[in-house]
């Protein structure tokens, strides 16, 4: 399984970005997809997860109401729309997917390479 994250960049506080995660190597539509982030000097943290159909999502409290996870199974791609960005959202963002189909995942086995998001104040 290969995951390729993209879409990061530099944005001012209050701005928006959309991250993409292109997947290959297995049937994309069967598995959950998640987003995580890691800020400098901090541990990696969960951001959001979406089930196989896109009908169920969960978010970290810190991003709820501002971020939206979605997926397009026809394009084998997951997305993270980030609105009202804050400087504390600055981090490397990773997409990930588990080996299992169960939802929500208890662990993630495959990771993308990460994409940098920097929010200036």
């Amino acid at each position: 399984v290969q995951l390729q994250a993209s879409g990061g960049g530099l944005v001012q506080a209050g701005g928006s970005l959309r991250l993409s995660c292109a997947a290959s190597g297995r049937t994309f539509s069967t598995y959950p997809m998640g987003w995580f982030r890691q800020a400098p000097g901090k541990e990696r943290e969960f951001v959001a997860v979406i089930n196989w159909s896109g009908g169920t999502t969960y978010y970290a409290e810190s991003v709820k109401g501002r971020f939206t996870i979605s997926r397009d199974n026809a394009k084998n791609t997951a997305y993270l729309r980030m609105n009202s960005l804050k400087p504390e959202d600055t981090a490397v963002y990773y997409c990930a997917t588990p080996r299992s189909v169960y939802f929500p995942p208890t662990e993630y086995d495959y990771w993308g390479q990460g994409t940098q998001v920097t929010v200036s104040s």
Side-chain angles (χ1 to χ4, degrees):
V1 178
Q2 292 80 44
L3 302 176
Q4 181 73 37
S6 61
L10 173 64
V11 63
Q12 289 188 332
S16 299
L17 281 174
R18 188 182 77 160
L19 306 183
S20 299
C21 178
S24 62
R26 67 178 184 183
T27 305
F28 176 78
S29 58
T30 306
Y31 298 89
M33 292 293 298
W35 285 96
F36 291 75
R37 66 186 182 185
Q38 187 167 21
K42 295 187 177 181
E43 293 189 354
R44 186 170 58 197
E45 65 174 357
F46 166 79
V47 174
V49 65
I50 189 168
N51 76 330
W52 68 273
S53 68
T56 303
T57 57
Y58 295 114
Y59 296 91
E61 284 297 323
S62 59
V63 307
K64 200 173 290 185
R66 300 187 298 122
F67 291 11
T68 302
I69 188 171
S70 62
R71 65 191 297 158
D72 186 336
N73 287 341
K75 296 182 178 179
N76 291 348
T77 302
Y79 304 97
L80 185 69
R81 176 69 179 183
M82 305 183 295
N83 295 330
S84 302
L85 282 161
K86 305 175 181 179
E88 51 263 44
D89 295 318
T90 295
V92 178
Y93 283 72
Y94 299 89
C95 57
T97 189
R99 185 177 292 119
S100 170
V101 300
Y102 293 107
F103 186 83
T106 56
E107 60 183 358
Y108 291 78
D109 303 286
Y110 306 104
W111 295 82
Q113 84 288 2
T115 183
Q116 176 71 46
V117 172
T118 303
V119 184
S120 63
S121 57

